[in-house]
C-alpha cells in the first residue's frame, strides 16, 4: 500500500508528466517495484483513477470498460 500511495503522490503532483497511452487521454504510471500500472485521466483539475492493472495478466482487459 505504501508503494501505491507514493505512486499516487507522484501522479497527483504532476499528472501531465506521464504520456497518454490510450485514447481518450488515459495516462499510465508504473508502480515502482511492483508489477502494476495505474491508469488514470484528468477530469478538470482532478485525477480519476480508472484501473490498477497487472502488467502481465490479461493485458488490456479493462479497455472495454472505458
Amino acid at each position: 500500500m505504501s508503494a501505491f500511495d507514493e505512486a499516487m503522490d507522484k501522479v497527483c503532483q504532476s499528472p501531465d508528466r506521464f504520456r497518454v497511452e490510450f485514447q481518450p487521454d488515459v495516462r499510465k504510471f508504473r508502480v515502482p517495484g511492483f508489477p502494476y500500472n495505474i491508469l488514470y485521466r484528468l477530469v478538470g483539475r482532478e485525477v480519476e483513477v480508472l484501473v490498477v492493472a497487472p502488467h502481465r495478466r490479461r493485458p488490456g482487459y479493462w479497455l472495454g470498460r472505458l
Side-chain angles (χ1 to χ4, degrees):
M1 280 306 289
S2 63
F4 177 78
D5 289 339
E6 289 176 28
M8 284 306 303
D9 285 342
K10 289 179 183 179
V11 166
C12 289
Q13 287 174 6
S14 54
D16 291 329
R17 177 178 171 197
F18 308 103
R19 70 182 181 164
V20 173
E21 292 284 330
F22 305 98
Q23 292 299 326
D25 301 322
V26 176
R27 297 171 186 269
K28 177 172 80 174
F29 180 82
R30 184 174 182 178
V31 179
F34 291 91
Y36 292 94
N37 295 318
I38 298 171
L39 292 113
Y40 68 95
R41 66 179 163 203
L42 297 175
V43 178
R45 298 186 69 194
E46 295 183 8
V47 172
E48 180 182 43
V49 175
L50 301 171
V51 67
V52 178
H55 290 179
R56 296 185 185 119
R57 190 175 7 161
R58 294 178 33 205
Y61 74 93
W62 52 271
L63 283 170
R65 299 178 184 178
L66 289 180

